[in-house]
Amino acid sequence: MKYNFTDIMTVGEASIRWNISPVSVKHLCTGIQGRPPRLTKEECRKSGRSWLVTRQGMERLYGPEEK
């Protein structure tokens, strides 16, 4: 799948755009308390020390971002 440049963001940016905590977004990628991640490998990945998420993954879980 091809993404626009603005469709991929850091956990911090996603947390601001969807008004949720950065830790909550990171847990979408890593899972928490033995539960599997809620974002798929196509929606989230680690790049160096930063987690990246897609707009499509965030919208699937939280709906469209508020403008």
Side-chain angles (χ1 to χ4, degrees):
M1 172 179 258
K2 291 197 177 217
Y3 294 102
N4 290 324
F5 187 71
T6 58
D7 288 343
I8 300 174
M9 66 205 90
T10 64
V11 163
E13 184 180 358
S15 73
I16 292 167
R17 290 171 66 175
W18 272 269
N19 196 31
I20 58 177
S21 79
V23 172
S24 294
V25 178
K26 182 181 173 191
H27 287 160
L28 296 174
C29 299
T30 62
I32 185 171
Q33 298 177 347
R35 287 178 268 172
R38 293 183 62 202
L39 290 172
T40 67
K41 292 184 187 281
E42 290 79 31
E43 297 169 333
C44 182
R45 77 177 190 94
K46 193 167 186 180
S47 177
R49 294 178 57 183
S50 300
W51 283 95
L52 302 173
V53 297
T54 64
R55 180 181 52 80
Q56 290 82 356
M58 292 300 293
E59 286 182 346
R60 179 176 63 80
L61 296 176
Y62 292 99
E65 89 180 271
E66 294 181 18
K67 299 292 176 169

